[in-house]
Amino acid sequence: FSYPALSAARVRPLIDKADATFEAVAALLGIEGGAPIDVDLSGTTENHAGTAYLDRIRMQVNDDSATATLAHETAHVFAMRLSGGARGHQLDNMMVLNEGLAEWVEGKLGKQAGATGGVTQAQELAAAIVSARRLVTPRHLTDQAAFAGAVDEHLKYPLGAILIERLVQRYGPAAPKTLLLAMASEDFPRDLEGYALWQTAFQLARFDLDLVLDDYARHLKQLESKYAHQIAKLPRPRGSLVERDDGYAIALRFDLPLPENATPLVRFRPGKISDASSYRTGYGGLSKAGTYTVEVPEDMVTRSEVCFQPGVVRDGLIMYEPWVCLPVDAASAD
């Protein structure tokens, strides 16, 4: 571990649990831990609690969730080692699988309240909403660019964890390790993308990808029924681009009354395709006219266009609508 000297007292609880975390993640994946992992506790990229590289982790220690973050990132390092290390880049192009595995490991080890296996109730609810609103099809999980370009990229965590849970339910606890080792094979194709990449990895592991996706789809339908009451009460926001004297804003409207404990928000990104570290989020303020609006950050207006996602946060759960990109010349008067 490396960290600023003044942070010693704050990071000590995490460091004291680190060896146990390392061993627990390795045991869950059915492997020997192997070489130590260097962990930089001075911070990480914007909008990320942690980032994993080959044998290295960068993360921040802000609250009690640091141990869970360490488990998540440790799972990433082990997954990279199993899938080929420096010569294997397939896992980088399987975002939902990669993040889902780390999220599932975090859930299994964290024993969060309400967790079923490696999936929490909050993750189940998010997945149920995705299914009920038809935001992401099962096949969509395998198309990394389309997934990130169309919907909230952070859905890769709950949806991916449920996908891994279905994989383990069908093929047993060793399934993630078997799948990763298949990708490490010397003759594994290095130029595949999307569904072809996923299908090849599953076939070499002697798994059936379509069966797992079917299991996943059936499970989400069950979650729709389980959380139907909560889904019915969660309003869906829509956003319009409006002009302001000094720029632009997003005016929000809802299909249902906004509950008292719900807060509207809007996330922006610079262009149709951009990394999550560049996202900016603003919370809705209620105008005198009774409309919620969110100012568009000046640096989020790119190529005369504003790309945004309206969303609602309630009881700690944030649900965004699909991305919308509007030209500024289509903005209406405030």
Side-chain angles (χ1 to χ4, degrees), residues 3-334:
Y3 51 88
L6 292 176
S7 302
R10 179 164 55 85
V11 305
R12 177 50 56 186
L14 172 70
I15 294 175
D16 288 343
K17 298 177 182 178
D19 285 345
T21 300
F22 184 94
E23 293 167 2
V25 175
L28 187 58
L29 294 177
I31 62 173
E32 295 293 332
I37 302 170
D38 293 328
V39 183
D40 179 354
L41 298 179
S42 62
T44 185
T45 56
E46 190 74 17
N47 298 325
H48 290 80
T51 310
Y53 308 91
L54 186 62
D55 294 333
R56 185 166 178 262
I57 292 170
R58 288 185 60 200
M59 58 178 285
Q60 52 193 3
V61 183
N62 291 332
D63 51 37
D64 293 339
S65 66
T67 298
T69 300
L70 183 62
H72 182 109
E73 302 305 332
T74 300
H76 276 313
V77 172
F78 288 157
M80 283 186 275
R81 289 177 178 177
L82 287 169
S83 63
R87 64 177 175 77
H89 301 288
Q90 301 79 232
L91 198 57
D92 293 337
N93 295 320
M94 303 172 76
M95 177 180 70
V96 174
L97 180 78
N98 192 12
E99 292 295 349
L101 176 61
E103 194 76 358
W104 179 78
V105 166
E106 180 182 334
K108 292 283 283 187
L109 298 183
K111 299 179 182 178
Q112 296 107 318
T116 302
V119 181
T120 67
Q121 287 185 351
Q123 290 170 333
E124 285 187 343
L125 176 56
I129 294 170
V130 166
S131 182
R133 295 179 177 178
R134 310 294 187 266
L135 297 178
V136 180
T137 66
R139 189 74 170 259
H140 205 172
L141 301 180
T142 67
D143 191 334
Q144 182 163 317
F147 185 99
V151 297
D152 176 13
E153 184 179 324
H154 290 84
L155 289 173
K156 63 192 177 186
Y157 299 113
L159 301 184
I162 289 173
L163 183 71
I164 294 297
E165 185 85 353
R166 294 304 98 194
L167 172 68
V168 171
Q169 287 290 323
R170 176 168 284 276
Y171 291 112
K177 174 185 175 181
T178 302
L179 184 62
L180 293 167
L181 288 175
M183 293 193 294
S185 172
E186 289 286 351
D187 57 357
F188 191 96
R190 306 295 170 182
D191 56 351
L192 299 178
E193 294 181 357
Y195 181 80
L197 171 59
W198 284 62
Q199 187 179 49
T200 300
F202 273 67
Q203 285 180 340
L204 290 178
R206 300 185 183 278
F207 300 153
D208 189 316
L209 172 59
D210 289 328
L211 285 179
V212 175
L213 292 178
D214 286 346
D215 291 345
Y216 163 89
R218 280 193 294 270
H219 186 67
L220 259 59
K221 282 296 181 183
Q222 294 172 357
L223 295 179
E224 277 189 54
S225 299
K226 179 179 179 179
Y227 293 100
H229 184 68
Q230 287 142 285
I231 295 172
K233 289 187 173 182
L234 188 66
R236 299 188 71 174
R238 293 290 184 269
S240 301
L241 185 62
V242 297
E243 287 185 280
R244 289 286 176 83
D245 291 338
D246 54 351
Y248 301 93
I250 303 299
L252 298 173
R253 61 189 185 280
F254 305 88
D255 63 346
L256 295 171
L258 192 66
E260 290 185 2
N261 63 341
T263 302
L265 69 167
V266 177
R267 184 160 59 189
F268 301 91
R269 69 183 181 191
K272 290 183 174 65
I273 300 176
S274 53
D275 185 80
S277 61
S278 64
Y279 293 175
R280 298 274 296 279
T281 303
Y283 289 86
L286 192 59
S287 69
K288 293 180 180 179
T291 302
Y292 283 97
T293 60
V294 179
E295 299 290 334
V296 178
E298 187 176 348
D299 58 349
M300 292 292 109
V301 181
T302 56
R303 301 179 184 87
S304 299
E305 188 176 57
V306 176
C307 294
F308 65 94
Q309 279 184 306
V312 173
V313 55
R314 185 184 186 192
D315 298 329
L317 175 70
I318 302 176
M319 286 303 302
Y320 288 102
E321 293 298 314
W323 283 103
V324 177
C325 294
L326 298 176
V328 296
D329 59 9
S332 61
D334 190 0

